[in-house]
Amino acid sequence: MDSCGILALFEKVYGRSEGAEAFFAPGRVNLIGEHTDYNGGHVLPCALTFGTYIAARRRTDGWVRCFSGNYPETGVVRFELEEMANDPRHGWANYPKGVVRVFRDNGFPVDSGLDMVVRGDMPSGAGLSSSASIEMATAVMLSSLFSLGLEDEEGRVRMALLCKDVENGFIGVNSGIMDQFAVALGRAGTALFLDCATLERRYVPVDLGEYDIVVMNTNKSRMLVESKYNERRSECEQALADLRRAGAPISSLCDLSAGEFFGWEDAVADPVCRRRARHAVLENGRVLAAVDALTSGRIDDFGRLLNESHLSLQFDYETTGRELDCLAELSWQREECLGARMTGAGFGGAALAVVRRDGAAEFIRFVGERYGRYIGYDCAFYRSV
Ligand code: GLA
């Protein structure tokens, strides 16, 4: 596998590529179920055809050398297996470093250094999980080069959980489990229907007939995503604490059905926290409805659920912002579009639309031209699911 010229890049950086092997992990787009994963709810992500490529070879000493074709200005980053703290000067290389560290901390025999190069063919910072993708590509590489035996389904689940530990403990982002599961277990032509409370999952075929999924990147630089994300998490925790104090027999917000939530909602004292909780509970219901719509071929119902999801994220969860709202509202104006919503954490990043294939070129022209005019810079489109 060398579709990104990854072995050629290895040779360019380290002189020769004998013994180097190539690995890949995809990015993901979440069809529906946003900000439900850390609330014990369901999600429905798809793996993308683009993602992160790594070429790597073991060394005989304890040095790890990494180079990224996407950030050549950082040069070759070097660190020793015994010196594995997060280092802000190492930038992107903290992701592979964190994976090596967490694997070693968990007793996996990663007992020699490595030379590696990385190149992603996906936009980073677009809310399509470039970070989970580089973490997983590193994990897959370690499993193969150090014979860790994590290639089967159970091993991939283990790798996803370890990569989540990297994100939470080493990188310092308090994300849920969706992204790592999507990139570890995604399969072509299907979405992963995951219950984030129990990790039970199944694959749902994504057969949209004459429709395609178009991914739209706002190209907005994602400042403050982490602090806003953590703020939403604590608002949900506050709502959960209020509900439990009032006697609701739940361990996470998504244990409530919509009807139950409306019975209990007055127990949430702060109106902002109440709206956050309402989003989580209703969004979880929309995931179940979306799976039902997809499995019974009701594509227009699926599209409508996407629109409802966006509106809920816009008004109750407040994670959209001008650029994502602009993409959704322009999409909704087009008759060839069945539905559109933001995807991922929000606050910039990407949106997706379900668009009739024969109208997709015109859709892209219309949305692209007006977005540039209203926002002042261009968005980008991908058809890669
Ligand atoms: C980010 C996080 C995920 C999830 C989404 C929102 O992508 O990494 O865990 O919470 O935001 O649905």
Side-chain angles (χ1 to χ4, degrees):
M1 179 206 310
D2 194 19
S3 4
C4 209
I6 197 71
L7 287 168
L9 179 65
F10 189 97
E11 188 163 326
K12 198 164 150 210
V13 174
Y14 300 115
R16 57 183 188 87
S17 63
E18 287 82 50
E21 291 176 48
F23 305 91
F24 173 77
R28 68 99 186 90
V29 62
N30 188 22
L31 297 184
I32 195 161
E34 222 61 83
H35 292 280
T36 47
D37 61 351
Y38 54 83
N39 284 310
H42 294 80
V43 292
L44 193 64
C46 285
L48 294 165
T49 55
F50 49 50
T52 309
Y53 294 83
I54 288 183
R57 181 174 62 201
R58 286 178 67 156
R59 292 171 59 91
T60 48
D61 59 14
W63 281 93
V64 178
R65 299 194 293 177
C66 320
F67 178 86
S68 166
N70 300 94
Y71 301 99
E73 64 282 3
T74 318
V76 176
V77 177
R78 295 174 173 77
F79 48 87
E80 271 191 288
L81 286 178
E82 305 306 324
E83 278 292 324
M84 296 296 283
N86 183 315
D87 182 340
R89 289 168 310 168
H90 289 170
W92 68 272
N94 281 306
Y95 290 98
K97 189 180 191 180
V99 178
V100 172
R101 162 81 191 264
V102 166
F103 271 58
R104 280 168 58 83
D105 287 354
N106 280 272
F108 288 102
V110 178
D111 49 10
S112 73
L114 298 154
D115 285 338
M116 61 187 277
V117 296
V118 178
R119 177 144 62 199
D121 61 353
M122 63 184 299
S124 62
L128 302 174
S129 281
S130 55
S131 56
S133 176
I134 187 175
E135 288 159 7
M136 193 63 197
T138 308
V140 168
M141 176 271 287
L142 293 179
S143 176
S144 171
L145 295 191
F146 294 90
S147 307
L148 308 180
L150 298 173
E151 283 75 23
D152 60 3
E153 165 109 5
E154 201 186 317
R156 296 186 80 84
V157 169
R158 184 83 210 276
M159 287 195 282
L161 293 169
L162 291 167
C163 288
K164 179 176 184 285
D165 289 348
V166 174
E167 194 75 42
N168 299 162
F170 191 85
I171 302 295
V173 178
N174 202 11
S175 56
I177 190 58
M178 168 171 70
D179 302 345
Q180 285 77 16
F181 262 67
V183 305
L185 298 167
R187 285 188 195 155
T190 65
L192 180 70
F193 177 40
L194 174 69
D195 179 339
C196 300
T198 62
L199 300 185
E200 268 168 51
R201 57 199 175 271
R202 71 184 160 86
Y203 293 93
V204 175
V206 181
D207 178 3
L208 301 177
E210 52 180 333
Y211 290 85
D212 272 348
I213 288 170
V214 175
V215 177
M216 309 178 277
N217 181 0
T218 58
N219 279 331
K220 180 186 182 190
S221 62
R222 294 209 303 163
M223 306 258 293
L224 295 177
V225 181
E226 285 159 25
S227 58
K228 292 278 180 202
Y229 184 90
N230 289 341
E231 187 182 289
R232 292 296 175 280
R233 283 198 72 145
S234 36
E235 288 160 348
C236 288
E237 278 157 22
Q238 181 61 54
L240 177 63
D242 287 357
L243 287 163
R244 286 167 59 100
R245 205 172 308 113
I250 55 173
S251 51
S252 59
L253 290 177
C254 293
D255 287 344
L256 294 171
S257 67
E260 287 163 349
F261 174 75
F262 290 122
W264 284 104
E265 67 172 335
D266 290 343
V268 183
D270 178 49
V272 172
C273 294
R274 204 180 308 142
R275 282 193 285 120
R276 306 298 190 241
R278 180 168 63 193
H279 165 77
V281 171
L282 299 190
E283 179 78 353
N284 189 42
R286 279 188 286 271
V287 183
L288 308 182
V291 168
D292 197 39
L294 279 176
T295 17
S296 47
R298 288 180 285 107
I299 313 297
D300 38 356
D301 284 346
F302 175 64
R304 188 178 40 73
L305 290 160
L306 299 188
N307 298 344
E308 285 174 13
S309 169
H310 186 92
L311 290 168
S312 176
L313 288 155
Q314 180 174 357
F315 295 108
D316 275 353
Y317 219 68
E318 295 181 279
T319 54
T320 57
R322 195 167 157 256
E323 298 78 5
L324 285 165
D325 291 338
C326 181
L327 285 177
E329 283 160 22
L330 289 169
S331 303
W332 295 338
Q333 289 176 32
R334 303 297 302 179
E335 68 74 32
E336 65 273 12
C337 174
L338 281 185
R341 61 179 287 272
M342 60 148 273
T343 181
F347 311 106
L352 66 94
V354 176
V355 182
R356 210 175 52 241
R357 203 163 299 125
D358 65 8
E362 180 54 21
F363 173 86
I364 287 172
R365 198 198 55 72
F366 176 91
V367 175
E369 191 270 322
R370 280 176 177 67
Y371 181 89
R373 190 138 43 91
Y374 299 151
I375 301 295
Y377 52 83
D378 288 340
C379 58
F381 298 88
Y382 314 93
R383 296 170 73 181
S384 173
V385 176

